[in-house]
Amino acid sequence: MFTRHLTLRFTGQFQRFQSTLLIAEHNNESLLPITQNALTAAKKLGGEVSVLVAGTKCGPIAEQIAKAEGLSKVLVAENDAFKGFTSENLTALIVAAQNQFKFTHIVAGASSFGKSLLPRVAAKLDVSPISDVIGIKSQNTFVRSIYAGNAIQTIEATDPVKILTVRGTSFEAAQLGSGSAPVEPIPVTDCDTQLTTFISQELSKSDRPELTGAKVVVSGGRGLKSGDNFKLLYDLADKLNAAVGASRAAVDAGYVPNDLQVGQTGKIVAPDLYIAVGISGAIQHLAGMKDSKTIVAINKDPEAPIFQVADYGLVADLFKAVPEMTQKL
Ligand SMILES: Cc1cc2nc3c(=O)[nH]c(=O)nc-3n(C[C@H](O)[C@H](O)[C@H](O)COP(=O)(O)OP(=O)(O)OC[C@H]3O[C@@H](n4cnc5c(N)ncnc54)[C@H](O)[C@@H]3O)c2cc1C
């Protein structure tokens, strides 16, 4: 009792009961899949889970996530200040929500969105952000990968509010079923910080599945030798309904745009099948794909490190092997 009294005096965010705020990631038209993975992580923390949906026209998104089982409520904030989802304005909103509801945990996916947003929230609340969580052992003990996935760290957080970004590939997607959580608007005041102004964005369009959500990924590296040669991989990917990824060397050489990069400084993927073509298997690349369920490597060098993580390896010239595979499928 004495301890709790002291904690209450010294930390405004202390909350006796466990309650988590999940920040939904969406584009005002659809919910991004990582939100459903992050929801599974939020539920693992135990206690109540509320979701915050902020945007310009996000009512339908709120209704959609309200169908998840076991939510206590969905908070909606619609305002022009959230155009472009700038982290500065969203931070102001989340801090206001935290002051009102006193959550014990705030969670988002470890996407570019979450990675930009939650460290700011943590700074404003004067607590440490806990990034890239891959496991939840208890309400205050978390597992995260460090050194490009070469070490796994288990940490116990003592901050009164735990601010977590969670890796989508480490948690199953929560289903949106027959839940009916109440959807409540929350006031938006002083959220237009004027620190940044959204001007425009250009999104790449593709008929192929999105890289981080695809069940099959075909990735190419420097071994492809040119952007034109990536056509070999697009043909194979089309047969497999796969997304196409790339190593950083292939991106840096200009073969493909950088939104295809897989790895430590690119996207983290964990598909059912990952086919690495002409990729050596540097640790920074492995950091982004080694949790894939089945890894296939095609490389002409039998000593290439990628074969150490591959379930199936083909030592061959990719220019011969890939068209043959595509033809046989
Ligand atoms: C801080 C930092 C962050 C980084 N982040 C990333 C990251 O996010 N993602 C990433 O991928 N890298 C990253 N890198 C770069 C990484 O270290 C490697 O340089 C890069 O992954 C190498 O790409 P690659 O395998 O395509 O090229 P290479 O290492 O040059 O390998 C090319 C491979 O193609 C094979 N090959 C060549 N021709 C053929 C052929 N005809 N048929 C079959 N095989 C062939 C070769 O045997 C070779 O194994 C990072 C590096 C640093 C320092």
Side-chain angles (χ1 to χ4, degrees), residues 163-183:
I163 309 255
L164 318 173
T165 60
V166 301
R167 201 176 266 191
T169 52
S170 301
F171 299 91
E172 289 291 324
Q175 295 308 309
L176 304 181
S178 52
S180 55
V183 176

Side-chain angles (χ1 to χ4, degrees), residues 109-181:
S111 58
S112 306
F113 171 80
K115 287 184 198 175
S116 167
L117 180 59
L118 286 204
R120 291 170 203 269
V121 173
K124 288 283 186 193
L125 297 177
D126 198 21
V127 298
S128 303
I130 304 160
S131 59
D132 250 331
V133 170
I134 58 171
I136 289 167
K137 286 190 174 285
S138 73
Q139 61 185 54
N140 55 5
T141 309
F142 312 109
V143 183
R144 53 191 297 270
S145 88
I146 54 171
Y147 300 126
N150 283 304
I152 302 294
Q153 182 185 57
T154 301
I155 56 159
E156 188 181 322
T158 53
D159 279 325
V161 189
K162 281 89 182 159
I163 309 255
L164 318 173
T165 60
V166 301
R167 201 176 266 191
T169 52
S170 301
F171 299 91
E172 289 291 324
Q175 295 308 309
L176 304 181
S178 52
S180 55

Side-chain angles (χ1 to χ4, degrees), residues 14-93:
F14 180 83
Q15 226 267 10
R16 186 171 160 204
F17 299 107
Q18 182 91 357
S19 65
T20 297
L21 179 67
L22 169 69
I23 315 298
E25 186 170 349
H26 65 94
N27 57 14
N28 285 310
E29 285 169 12
S30 55
L31 194 62
L32 299 195
I34 194 164
T35 305
Q36 285 165 258
N37 304 99
L39 176 54
T40 299
K43 285 185 172 177
K44 276 193 123 181
L45 291 163
E48 291 186 347
V49 178
S50 303
V51 179
L52 174 64
V53 180
T56 46
K57 280 188 184 147
C58 54
I61 305 289
E63 297 296 340
Q64 196 187 345
I65 190 107
K67 295 200 175 93
E69 297 289 337
L71 293 183
S72 97
K73 59 183 170 303
V74 177
L75 304 169
V76 199
E78 277 188 330
N79 195 285
D80 274 354
F82 308 128
K83 205 171 159 192
F85 305 101
T86 55
S87 300
E88 291 79 0
N89 291 357
L90 287 172
T91 297
L93 176 71

Side-chain angles (χ1 to χ4, degrees), residues 216-268:
V216 181
V217 173
V218 179
S219 275
R222 193 173 359 227
L224 265 295
K225 296 194 169 55
S226 75
D228 288 346
N229 289 338
F230 259 75
K231 179 164 187 324
L232 293 174
L233 300 196
Y234 293 130
D235 291 345
L236 178 60
D238 288 343
K239 287 273 175 89
L240 295 167
N241 190 27
V244 171
S247 71
R248 177 158 151 183
V251 169
D252 287 351
Y255 301 170
V256 286
N258 67 1
D259 59 326
L260 297 197
Q261 185 177 319
V262 172
Q264 183 188 342
T265 44
K267 290 184 175 154
I268 310 279

